[in-house]
Amino acid sequence: MKRYEGLEGILLIDDDLPTNFIHKKIIERVSVDAAVKSITNVQEALDFITYSGIYEDTPEIPRPGLIFLDINMPGLNGWDFMDTYNRLDKHFKARLIIIMLSTSPDPEDKEMALVDNEVVAFLSKPLRPEMVTSLLDRYFKEVG
């Protein structure tokens, strides 16, 4: 298993359970030593990051260093997540790498995503092992 500095957890935010399952398996295939958590809605994801709601007393659960965020979800979507995330206190965002994912062929989605300074990449679903490896190598330092 590969360990990366600042990467104790990876968060998948996607309303589609099969997609989360597949992406979790792909991350496991890369053999990264990080807890992978799947959340299917924006509010719960924000609660997880900020230790609020049902995650209020859960400091033992590793928080993410890397987030894969779907754009199109019912209710609050990826854009709503980013709007709220950008207003969070900086200690909740200390070392988070956010990757937006979409099946949308709309080039405006990519442009909008990359205008946000907190989003480092916009990728098409599904994730592939080489995509995950490339992101880990680019944004994290391998240790031990």
Side-chain angles (χ1 to χ4, degrees), residues 35-76:
V36 180
K37 177 142 183 81
S38 301
I39 294 180
T40 58
N41 71 75
V42 165
Q43 187 57 58
E44 184 181 345
L46 290 164
D47 288 348
F48 182 66
I49 292 168
T50 60
Y51 297 85
S52 55
I54 63 171
Y55 298 103
E56 188 171 357
D57 294 315
T58 60
E60 72 285 355
I61 300 174
R63 290 321 196 259
L66 178 62
I67 295 175
F68 290 101
L69 173 64
D70 184 31
I71 292 176
N72 297 313
M73 294 180 275
L76 298 175

Side-chain angles (χ1 to χ4, degrees), residues 4-13 27 30 32 34-37 48-49 62-69 81 85 95-101 118 120-121 123 127 131-140:
Y4 292 88
E5 188 177 304
L7 185 64
E8 293 181 14
I10 296 172
L11 179 58
L12 304 172
I13 307 171
I27 292 166
V30 173
V32 58
V36 180
K37 177 142 183 81
F48 182 66
I49 292 168
R63 290 321 196 259
L66 178 62
I67 295 175
F68 290 101
L69 173 64
F81 175 90
Y85 177 84
R95 174 95 168 97
L96 275 175
I97 303 297
I98 299 176
I99 311 298
M100 274 200 148
L101 298 174
E118 300 290 343
V120 300
L123 301 174
L127 282 176
M131 293 164 74
V132 175
T133 300
S134 175
L135 291 166
L136 293 172
D137 291 343
R138 177 180 288 164
Y139 296 105
F140 297 92

Side-chain angles (χ1 to χ4, degrees), residues 71-123:
I71 292 176
N72 297 313
M73 294 180 275
L76 298 175
N77 60 30
W79 306 120
D80 298 318
F81 175 90
M82 291 309 303
D83 286 343
T84 304
Y85 177 84
N86 285 324
R87 293 190 308 264
L88 291 178
D89 187 276
K90 65 181 177 183
H91 82 274
F92 291 121
K93 306 187 297 184
R95 174 95 168 97
L96 275 175
I97 303 297
I98 299 176
I99 311 298
M100 274 200 148
L101 298 174
S102 183
T103 55
S104 170
D106 187 349
E108 282 186 30
D109 282 342
K110 183 174 184 175
E111 289 173 29
M112 281 179 53
L114 297 178
V115 165
D116 190 315
N117 292 332
E118 300 290 343
V119 176
V120 300
F122 181 93
L123 301 174

